[in-house]
Amino acid sequence: MVIRELKDGRSYVSLQEDHAELAAQFAAHWGNARFSQLRPYKTMVFATTYHDSGYREFEGNPPINVEKGRPYAHRENIPSFEAVELKAYAKNVDWLCSHDLYAGLIVSMHRTGLWHNRYNVFTKPSGNVRERSQEVQNAKKELEAKQEQYKKTLAAGNPAFEDELWHNYRTLQIFDLLSLYFCCDGYASEKEFKEYAIAPIRIAYDSNEETELKITPNGPGSVKMTPYPFDESPLQFSVRTRLMTPAKGQSAEAGLEAYQKAPRQLLTFAVSA
């Protein structure tokens, strides 16, 4: 779950697919006179939409952090989660590959990259490198071996395939980070954002030019991005969430009931050049 705790004790709680759907909005609008539109466009938007799927059963009745009275957030230590995580990602990659092999490859790379500091493609924000279990290391090797097979199938006759693939991998990481910024990481107060940067980001498929994407607050619920990467300005983006009053100090059952009953909301914010 992607969770933002408020000062009044309540929490915004979003599903992984809520977070991913926001990321897909960024993918859909990415590109203008300076920044390349994604290609293959339909595949990349599809991949971004489902890059964190596989957790529907888990998030339908999630385990509760009893101390906090709400579901565990995605960066918290969730008991017995590793097996769930490995199964979810394997299932999701298989499902994506059955619909679009390139989408499956990109999402598989996203997963293995998260186990490897996003393959060190960014200097900002700084990564969080930690020791991985042998089971995760084995799963990473297995997924990366399959990725090489997918590449051979997809790259036939396209000498630019590998370069374009890594461009697309990096853009998916940008969309993921932007979504996390707007869902949970980017707040100086309940309605005001804080400064943030992602670097280096690549401008276009046919150029090695790189830059730093800077985000600055622009009033309540609004930010500016420099250089501006989207096709229109201003743009409004939205994410679905639950506004939950945690059942602190109560049972796991009480926390789950509070989560299920929490009213759903649509959080909307503006992005401009």
Side-chain angles (χ1 to χ4, degrees):
M1 317 294 289
V2 181
I3 295 175
R4 174 161 66 99
E5 295 179 329
L6 303 177
K7 289 183 178 179
D8 65 7
R10 297 180 298 171
S11 295
Y12 283 119
V13 181
S14 297
L15 305 179
Q16 286 288 345
E17 286 194 344
D18 296 329
H19 143 72
E21 206 282 326
L22 172 58
Q25 294 171 52
F26 300 132
H29 284 282
W30 188 266
N32 51 35
R34 184 177 182 189
F35 285 82
S36 292
Q37 186 186 56
L38 296 174
R39 65 175 189 241
Y41 177 82
K42 184 172 74 171
T43 288
M44 284 301 298
V45 175
F46 177 71
T48 308
T49 302
Y50 296 107
H51 77 272
D52 274 337
S53 294
Y55 296 104
R56 287 181 178 177
E57 299 92 339
F58 179 82
E59 292 186 325
N61 288 299
I64 299 298
N65 184 331
V66 175
E67 180 182 350
K68 296 192 174 184
R70 56 152 175 76
Y72 285 90
H74 70 290
R75 295 189 181 110
E76 293 175 344
N77 187 20
I78 307 170
S80 305
F81 181 65
E82 186 176 278
V84 173
E85 180 183 35
L86 295 179
K87 181 179 179 181
Y89 263 92
K91 180 174 64 175
N92 188 44
V93 169
D94 287 346
W95 179 82
L96 282 161
C97 286
S98 72
H99 291 272
D100 187 319
L101 186 60
Y102 193 103
L105 170 59
I106 282 287
V107 172
S108 179
M109 291 170 64
H110 171 68
R111 175 66 266 168
T112 54
L114 290 180
W115 290 328
H116 199 121
N117 194 33
R118 298 184 192 269
Y119 289 120
N120 301 309
V121 297
F122 299 125
T123 57
K124 296 181 181 179
S126 58
N128 180 21
V129 180
R130 60 187 177 89
E131 188 72 21
R132 301 294 180 176
S133 71
Q134 189 60 53
E135 288 75 12
V136 167
Q137 294 178 46
N138 292 342
K140 180 175 179 289
K141 290 179 181 179
E142 184 177 339
L143 285 170
E144 288 176 334
K146 289 183 178 180
Q147 290 166 18
E148 293 305 313
Q149 297 174 14
Y150 302 154
K151 288 178 186 180
K152 290 179 182 178
T153 300
L154 292 164
N158 180 8
F161 174 82
E162 192 77 18
D163 185 62
E164 292 180 357
L165 177 69
W166 282 101
H167 179 102
N168 286 334
Y169 168 80
R170 196 187 301 193
T171 57
L172 176 55
Q173 304 318 297
I174 294 168
F175 308 144
D176 185 51
L177 288 169
L178 288 177
S179 181
L180 291 173
Y181 172 86
F182 287 106
C183 285
C184 61
D185 292 340
Y187 292 84
S189 63
E190 184 169 339
K191 294 184 179 180
E192 295 277 355
F193 292 103
K194 62 185 179 182
E195 292 187 354
Y196 187 69
I198 303 175
I201 66 169
R202 190 170 163 188
I203 300 294
Y205 289 99
D206 58 357
S207 169
N208 290 323
E209 180 188 359
E210 295 180 335
T211 189
E212 177 177 290
L213 180 65
K214 297 180 181 179
I215 302 176
T216 55
N218 191 35
S222 179
V223 300
K224 288 187 176 182
M225 290 190 185
T226 308
Y228 192 73
F230 300 120
D231 55 0
E232 300 175 41
S233 176
L235 280 170
Q236 282 198 332
F237 297 103
S238 299
V239 61
R240 184 176 181 266
T241 190
R242 307 177 191 215
L243 182 56
M244 178 183 174
T245 300
K248 291 184 179 179
Q250 301 181 45
S251 65
E253 290 76 14
L256 181 59
E257 184 173 342
Y259 163 77
Q260 300 290 19
K261 290 182 176 180
R264 277 61 164 175
Q265 293 189 4
L266 199 64
L267 298 181
T268 299
F269 40 89
V271 179
S272 60

